Amino acid sequence: MKQKPDLNFWKLWNLSFGFFGVQIAYALQSANISRIFATLGADPHNLSYFWILPPLMGIIVQPIVGACSDKTWCRLGRRIPYLFIGAFVAVIVMCLLPNAGSFHMGIGTAMIFGLVALMFLDTSINMAMQPFKMLVGDMVNEKQKGLAYSIQSFLCNAGSLVGYIFPFAFTALGIANIASKGVIPDSVIYSFYIGAAVLILCVVYTVIKVKEWNPQEYAAYNGLKEPLDEEKTNLFRLLKEAPATFWKVGLVQFFCWFAFMYMWTYTNGTVADNCWGTTDVASKGYQDAGNWVGILFAVQAIGSVLWAAILPQFKNRKFAYSLSLVLGGIGFCMAAFVHDQYILFIPFLLIGCAWAAMLAMPFTFVTNALQGYGHMGTYLGLFNGTICIPQIVAAAVGGSILAVVGSVQGNMMIIAGVLLVLGSLSVVFIKEK
């Protein structure tokens, strides 16, 4: 097998730069979906159901994108065409979703419109996001893969940081943060508009700067007997032949993404109740809390960037992974009891440690274990099922669990903390290649 060449820093950077724009879109979605649907009139016990669509679309779209891109060879490459199409659709939907309450529709119709827009938004984001992980798996050697995914993690968190603070920043600039009942504030709408513009610019940069290998080069560098466009793909056979590491990392992923689904769903209600003393979604306090959630998620992103710089210093990657998840679990539990909006920075910095590890560690373990298997894109698409399935399960049972814990949204953060600790304990089963 021909050895993959070392890439200089800027080539590694260019492979992932478009992720910055994609993550802005993802951050706007994750920080504002509960706020948008609560503003439209959704009951807190039903909020988690709106979160089923994003991971559901992910589990459908990502394996398809992976399998199709494995066999797509054109002038732009094999992964980049899917990246570009996904980003283009995301830009259109980002201009529609926050206007769900502005078209003079009834509550039910507005929610259906919002759900359809959310479905297309998450489909397109998944379509744009997946190729970046595949590009690293395709073109980066094992020695540099940790650095490549760390760069991707940094750009991911930098994009998140920007996306999270947009509503707060626009409110500070004088753009309205409250609106008529059932209407999304302009601060949120403008955030989606600017996020869409940044997304398309970043993706265009990637299209210009990155040149993928042709089929013969790819086969030579990945130890394959023939180019992948001559091979047939059977998803069930690939799953059956997947290395044990694929499934063991998947177990850790189950607990982690279950936990973070509850953070995205219930942080807004927790902060509004604990720090602003309100559950009235039409109140100024609730919308101010919504802006502050963006700031807290930005603090989480800062914590993640800082921790991502520390992670490579650990000689034992399993220990680093496990420690990160424990810190995140402590952060979640703390967040349920803090009533000062500024002290909340501490737990969200700790949550950022878990997020940094979740972005980099799983793909490092899995792509190293997949060397020589071929079908890297398809396998990574299938591996994203370990991200999507726990979110679907968490969203499906979220309303019931909320009722069991007294209908207090803060208690869902404690549930999330316990789940991260269980994920940390599961790291012991992973065996590195």
Side-chain angles (χ1 to χ4, degrees), residues 231-409:
E231 294 187 65
K232 293 182 178 180
T233 301
N234 183 312
L235 298 182
F236 294 105
R237 179 178 64 81
L238 292 180
L239 281 175
K240 183 179 178 181
E241 296 175 355
T245 300
F246 182 97
W247 300 106
K248 292 174 181 178
V249 176
L251 176 63
V252 181
Q253 292 271 85
F254 182 86
F255 292 114
C256 293
W257 289 95
F258 207 113
F260 271 81
M261 171 58 79
Y262 288 159
M263 181 192 79
W264 294 323
T265 307
Y266 299 110
T267 297
N268 209 111
T270 299
V271 173
D273 190 13
N274 286 355
C275 299
W276 271 265
T278 183
T279 56
D280 179 7
V281 298
S283 67
K284 181 179 183 298
Y286 189 91
Q287 297 300 334
D288 287 344
N291 280 357
W292 196 251
V293 168
I295 296 298
L296 293 174
F297 285 3
V299 169
Q300 173 204 317
I302 292 171
S304 186
V305 169
L306 296 174
W307 191 247
I310 295 172
L311 281 176
Q313 308 306 316
F314 286 93
K315 293 183 179 180
N316 187 324
R317 280 189 291 201
K318 286 175 57 176
F319 174 76
Y321 193 9
S322 184
L323 174 63
S324 301
L325 298 183
V326 168
L327 292 175
I330 293 171
F332 275 129
C333 292
M334 286 178 62
F337 298 101
V338 174
H339 292 266
D340 184 288
Q341 65 189 89
Y342 296 102
I343 295 178
L344 277 172
F345 288 169
I346 297 172
F348 277 87
L349 282 170
L350 294 175
I351 293 169
C353 297
W355 185 244
M358 287 167 58
L359 290 177
M361 295 289 189
F363 287 96
T364 300
F365 287 128
V366 170
T367 53
N368 284 345
L370 287 172
Q371 290 303 314
Y373 276 73
H375 299 287
M376 180 68 76
T378 308
Y379 267 119
L380 289 184
L382 292 170
F383 182 69
N384 271 281
T386 67
I387 295 174
C388 299
I389 290 173
Q391 292 183 69
I392 293 170
V393 176
V397 301
S400 300
I401 295 177
L402 178 61
V404 169
V405 297
S407 297
V408 177
Q409 295 189 48

Side-chain angles (χ1 to χ4, degrees), residues 13-26:
W13 176 274
N14 290 340
L15 280 177
S16 296
F17 180 74
F19 211 95
F20 175 80
V22 174
Q23 197 61 29
I24 287 178
Y26 190 72

